Every structure is written in structure tokens, then in C-alpha cells.
Amino acid sequence: MLYGDDNIDFNSGGMFMEACPCGSGKSYSECCGLFIEGKALPATPEQLMRSRYTAYTLLHIDYIGRTMRGAAAKNFNPRETENWARHIQWLGLEVLRTGMQDNNGFVEFIAKYTKKGTTEQLQELSEFHRKDGKWYYVDGKHPSANTPIHSTPKARRNDPCPCGSEKKFKKCCGQGG
């Protein structure tokens, strides 16, 4: 192991574990890996968006395709997507705001990356729909300051976790935050 590798962390047992690329502070296997590897379903649009970002960073293009519906899925070209993603060095993800109402959700984010030595960023307001208990990416737009969104209030430590786990926030998604 090399010192200074920001993607490596120690778990409580002293074992190395790789930090999830989505920036949650959790290990990949405790975070987006659960969804990408089919061990769990994302409970919120934000979890799906973070796992899709992680899938791009790790070239899990099949996951990207499986988590789309509508026009996004119709226009998806796995070969072009993989070719594009192979030439990107991902630098980080910042979630700006999220919202959810019934079976519709939104996540605004900034994904930073370098391509051919130039640092760039993608800012998008992604739209998600839930069908049969699963969230899907359906569209993405460049947001404006007055783009409406139904904000989901931040959970307090002792509130039920918004992911639907029925645990307290502090014992679930609020760990390490």
C-alpha cells in the first residue's frame, strides 16, 4: 500500500478498504457497491445518482444502462459511453440539492473530471422516477437558479433515516457525517 492514497481507508479491524468514489465517506462495499453488484436497491434518488457516478468511475457501464428508463434509455449507447468514460479521470462529486415527492425525485450535482489534461465539470439536475419499487434515471438538464425543486429536509440524528431502512439516521446514512 502506498501512503497518501485518498481512496484507501482503515476499517475498525485494521483492514484496508477502498473509499467509495461517490464521496460518501463509506467504503465501496458498504455504499455504491451494494447497488452496482445487485445486493440492494437504492432507496432514494440520491443513492441512485451516487451509484451511477461510481459506476462511471469504475466503468460499470452495464449498471448505467440498467438504471435508465424512457428517452435516456432509448438514446443510451453503451459502447460510446464506455469509450467516453475510459478517457476521463474523475475528480469528485458534489451533491448540491435533492428532492423527492411520491415517485419522482431530483438531484442536482457537480461531477468534476479531467479529460486530455483539461479540468472540466458537469453540473446537472437529474430527474428520477420510481417504478415497481426501483428508482430510474430518466432525464438530465442544465439547471438554472430558478429551476423548481421540492427540497427534502435534512434528517436530524435521531430522525428515521430517509433511505427507508427504519433505522435512526445516526445509525444508518448519518454515520461518519
Side-chain angles (χ1 to χ4, degrees), residues 34-89:
L34 292 171
F35 311 128
I36 293 169
E37 296 169 14
K39 296 177 182 173
L41 293 173
T44 65
E46 182 177 349
Q47 285 181 335
L48 179 58
M49 187 280 308
R50 286 181 174 280
S51 66
R52 286 174 52 84
Y53 170 85
T54 297
Y56 275 111
T57 69
L58 301 175
L59 298 174
H60 289 291
I61 305 306
D62 58 323
Y63 181 77
I64 300 297
R66 287 193 320 265
T67 57
M68 298 174 133
R69 285 272 197 234
K74 184 179 178 183
N75 297 324
F76 180 66
N77 182 319
R79 187 171 292 145
E80 285 180 13
T81 301
E82 183 172 351
N83 186 47
W84 174 79
R86 282 191 183 283
H87 295 93
I88 299 294
Q89 179 185 0

Side-chain angles (χ1 to χ4, degrees), residues 4-5 13 18 28 30 38 47 69 85 103 120 137 152 165 172:
D5 189 337
E18 190 169 341
Y28 171 78
E30 295 173 327
Q47 285 181 335
R69 285 272 197 234
N103 291 317
E120 299 182 30
Y137 171 83
T152 304
S165 69
C172 191

Side-chain angles (χ1 to χ4, degrees), residues 15-26:
M15 302 291 292
F16 284 110
M17 60 184 192
E18 190 169 341
C20 191
C22 81
S24 68
K26 296 179 182 179

